[in-house]
Amino acid sequence: MINLVKEKNPMPEQDPMVRNKNFKEVSTGYTADMAINEAMRCLQCRKKPCTGGCPVRVRIPEFIARIAAGEFEEAYQVISTTSSLPAICGRVCPQENQCEGRCVQGLKGEPVAIGRLERFAADWHREHGSGEAAAQADSNGRKVAVVGSGPAGLACAGDLIAKGYGVTVYESLHKEGGVLAYGIPEFRLPKDIVSSEVSALKDRGVCFINNAVVGMSMTVDELFEDGFEAVFVGTGAGLPQFMNIPGENLLGVYSANEYLTRINLMKAYKPEYDTPIQISRKVAVIGGGNVAMDAARCAKRMGAEEVHIVYRRSMEEIPARQEEIHHAIEEGIHFQLLTNPVAIRGTEKGYVCGLECVEMELGEPDASGRRRPVEKKDSNFVLEVDAVIMAIGTRLNKLILETTENLSANSRGGIGAEEETGATSCPGVFAGGDAVTGAATVILAMGAGKNAADSIDRYLEKRV
Amino acid sequence: MYEIISKRRLNSTITWLVIKAPLVARKARPGQFIILRTDEYGERIPLTMAGHDSEKGTIDIIYQAVGKTTLLLDQFEVGDALLDVVGPLGRPTEMEGLKRVAVVGGGTGNALAYPIAKGMYDTGIQVDMIAGFQTKDVVILEEEFRAGTSNLYITTDDGSYGEKGFTTDKLKALIESGEKYDEVVAVGPPVMMKFVCQLTAKYGIKTVVSLTAYMVDGTGMCGGCRVVIGGENKFACVDGPEFDGQLVNWDELIQRNSFYKEQEQEDMVHVCRLTGGVRCHD
């Protein structure tokens, strides 16, 4: 029996004016009835275009059929055959461009809410599952090191342990999860979900070594000396970019990475934590991606009266997910579109007191295919703010490249690696995720981690 | 967990800790730093290493109890353990090609100058050490410096010990008396480092300084530790902590280091007055 309603079951959410003052999760998740009702909207197409849109090939119609039948744990088991982080993917994947973007129901109405259903199955499992660890693969006695415990590293570790390898994950911070821990805020991705995914990997035998900066604490070459036969590098694209405009070192100018890390990883929003952070009244966040939305919504929750997203193109080109923009607007974030910062102004003591901007208009499309913003003459104005957060992207961290002999870079300055296999110029070293591609999405990084796990397995089978 | 192996008070506010951290000790070099976190609620703070023993798997830190975190650190005793220690971070001190160096330390900065001076001395470089203090009561590391440098000159602002005057006065006197240095290394309060650099610039002597800045991760990710060197933004954690002092924008550095001072001051009052240094919510 198919549910013919054209719209998705709406996601229950905290009231915007309540949630913009707390860090609790915005979306509270489908109830079992909602999930079954939504699952009934799936046409169970034979061609499964949705699965084709998923970088880790989640068996989507299959798990949705299980939900429709009320077999929630079974639905989770179907997902976990291909994805090690469903509770996370269900929350942060850009489904509109992937699975849901290809859903046949989306042609005449809204696509099936695949992400919400995935989240439902994962949450159900966490709350009601037996808690039994997945069946352990027999150990093959061979060791692989994974550098970085973000989505790429976790996915790679999960697949390798399933294949019987001994896996050790090295993490530079004190907490596992990479961007899932320091970058994505609690209200979008509760940290206990990240912890439980990491614990599940620990239960399956993955060893995590925190506070270990590969490239400094030990080199990749030394990992081989320590007995690892292959190394997967999934260190992400960490270095924040600045605009190189005057005033960027004034007090109150943050990179989004720093601002978000202080809040998400270091819990600056909880009074019992020592982490210092500026308490701002009016904040400008520069950039239009998901990171910009996260920073702006955090600033609001930290008590700012006024928060502006400053983006140089229009709403048409803005790169953040629609859902995040929608949530930000509901929470009272202002959007200063077609606006480009040219300087940051400061007080005598060096504190930020304003952001000088110029209005923009859109010209011809540029290399990215987006219309190129052009400055309007004499349109300068000053936005009165006491903090500026730069969310204009990140560059690649060179620590591993600089300390690993014979490891080549790619044209973007990241680690050079084959897209399909993750193989690099160094035998036994594989790389994937943002460290290779530059900043992208959680699910693409996971896909890269999984592909690398497969090719590490093939590489080591050949090299007996 | 990172156990404290020994604790030694050097003066009323400065303490020397030896901490078990084998992963760090294995690779540590002079000039590098660590980031530590005392407990779950603690900040991540960077501290330059004062030494290490790779066989024992220990590292040394010398810190002055001035802010909330260092006051909390002061509550730890031998046998207690810190929650996190990560490192070694930053680039090691460059020593190649150096034959004769003057190392200038100011106050607590002497603790950070110690491993650099000793590291250089141990590789056969002739090291003249100028250690400056406000007054006799706060003099630290005298014996260590005597053993680990070629010549030691102690100065005090009030003349209560060693020679009266600032480190810059002594450095100037040495240079004017004909001592030739390939390089000067200055570690101390930014104002002192700034004046050392102004002085050495006059004599055309390259001067290396070790900069401290607010940072979170220590691997280049947060960008909080940016310092302007020769008009360019650098990250103290991965590009430093040592830089050519004559290229540093000192005024901006001093300003950036004041960012959280007020917040810290408040926090510190809470720690001292309310709890005597013990967390009340544990």
Side-chain angles (χ1 to χ4, degrees), chain B residues 133-153:
Chain B
F133 301 92
Q134 280 176 336
T135 183
K136 184 183 175 187
D137 297 342
V138 296
V139 171
I140 55 168
L141 297 171
E142 185 175 350
E143 271 172 47
E144 284 79 2
F145 279 127
R146 286 220 188 279
T149 60
S150 317
N151 295 298
L152 174 65
Y153 308 98

Side-chain angles (χ1 to χ4, degrees), chain A residues 199-249:
Chain A
S199 304
L201 285 173
K202 286 180 182 167
D203 291 344
R204 290 166 58 198
V206 177
C207 171
F208 285 84
I209 299 185
N210 294 354
N211 294 326
V213 188
V214 175
M216 297 298 291
S217 311
M218 71 285 288
T219 62
V220 167
D221 298 320
E222 283 165 340
L223 291 174
F224 285 107
E225 286 166 26
D226 286 350
F228 292 103
E229 293 187 66
V231 176
F232 173 72
V233 182
T235 47
L239 299 180
Q241 280 186 317
F242 292 89
M243 292 186 78
N244 295 317
I245 55 175
E248 271 182 315
N249 289 345

Side-chain angles (χ1 to χ4, degrees), chain A residues 170 172-175 182 209-213 216-219 222 226 238-240 242 244 248-255 257-258 261-262 265-267 271-279 347-351 395 397 399 402, chain B residues 2 23 26-27 32 37-44 68-69 72 83-91 214-217 219-228 233 235 238 252 255-260 262-264 267 279 281:
Chain A
Y170 291 86
S172 71
L173 291 166
H174 56 259
K175 221 179 187 82
Y182 73 76
I209 299 185
N210 294 354
N211 294 326
V213 188
M216 297 298 291
S217 311
M218 71 285 288
T219 62
E222 283 165 340
D226 286 350
L239 299 180
F242 292 89
N244 295 317
E248 271 182 315
N249 289 345
L250 288 165
L251 309 181
V253 183
Y254 286 97
S255 75
N257 267 1
E258 181 183 357
T261 303
R262 283 183 187 277
L265 178 76
M266 300 304 300
K267 311 282 176 222
E272 64 268 32
Y273 281 76
D274 292 341
T275 315
I277 196 161
Q278 180 181 276
I279 301 306
T347 64
E348 248 173 51
K349 286 188 164 172
Y351 287 88
R395 289 173 294 142
N397 188 315
L399 273 182
E402 283 177 355
Chain B
Y2 302 82
L23 214 56
R26 190 167 78 152
K27 297 285 279 184
Q32 291 189 296
R37 202 167 66 126
T38 51
D39 62 346
E40 171 58 28
Y41 305 100
E43 244 192 291
R44 291 171 62 97
K68 184 174 186 183
T69 303
L72 285 169
L83 189 55
D84 299 293
V85 173
V86 56
L89 297 167
R91 294 175 185 272
Y214 288 112
M215 57 179 76
V216 184
D217 59 294
T219 63
M221 195 190 78
C222 79
C225 64
R226 54 197 190 274
V227 289
V228 174
N233 254 337
F235 293 165
V238 287
E252 192 173 282
Q255 195 171 66
R256 282 187 69 77
N257 280 348
S258 73
F259 190 23
Y260 297 114
E262 274 175 34
Q263 262 186 55
E264 278 171 4
D267 274 355
R279 289 199 189 276
H281 47 264

Side-chain angles (χ1 to χ4, degrees), chain B residues 67-103:
Chain B
K68 184 174 186 183
T69 303
T70 42
L71 278 165
L72 285 169
L73 191 55
D74 241 13
Q75 308 297 317
F76 283 75
E77 298 297 340
V78 172
D80 293 342
L82 304 176
L83 189 55
D84 299 293
V85 173
V86 56
L89 297 167
R91 294 175 185 272
T93 304
E94 283 177 27
M95 303 183 186
E96 219 177 286
L98 299 176
K99 291 197 171 57
R100 184 139 194 244
V101 171
V103 178

Side-chain angles (χ1 to χ4, degrees), chain B residues 196-270:
Chain B
V196 169
C197 292
Q198 281 177 359
L199 175 75
T200 53
K202 277 187 218 155
Y203 299 98
I205 308 171
K206 187 189 171 190
T207 300
V208 171
V209 295
S210 181
L211 303 182
T212 47
Y214 288 112
M215 57 179 76
V216 184
D217 59 294
T219 63
M221 195 190 78
C222 79
C225 64
R226 54 197 190 274
V227 289
V228 174
I229 310 292
E232 248 183 87
N233 254 337
K234 297 278 182 193
F235 293 165
C237 64
V238 287
D239 300 321
E242 294 178 8
F243 292 101
D244 182 338
Q246 280 148 7
L247 300 177
V248 173
N249 181 334
W250 290 105
D251 296 342
E252 192 173 282
L253 178 87
I254 292 166
Q255 195 171 66
R256 282 187 69 77
N257 280 348
S258 73
F259 190 23
Y260 297 114
K261 280 276 153 63
E262 274 175 34
Q263 262 186 55
E264 278 171 4
Q265 206 63 37
E266 277 175 33
D267 274 355
M268 207 172 81
V269 170
H270 282 289

Side-chain angles (χ1 to χ4, degrees), chain A residues 326-349:
Chain A
H326 173 71
H327 280 157
I329 292 171
E330 281 183 341
E331 289 167 14
I333 309 292
H334 302 279
F335 281 70
Q336 299 278 344
L337 301 168
L338 289 164
T339 304
N340 201 33
V342 291
I344 301 165
R345 297 194 178 169
T347 64
E348 248 173 51
K349 286 188 164 172

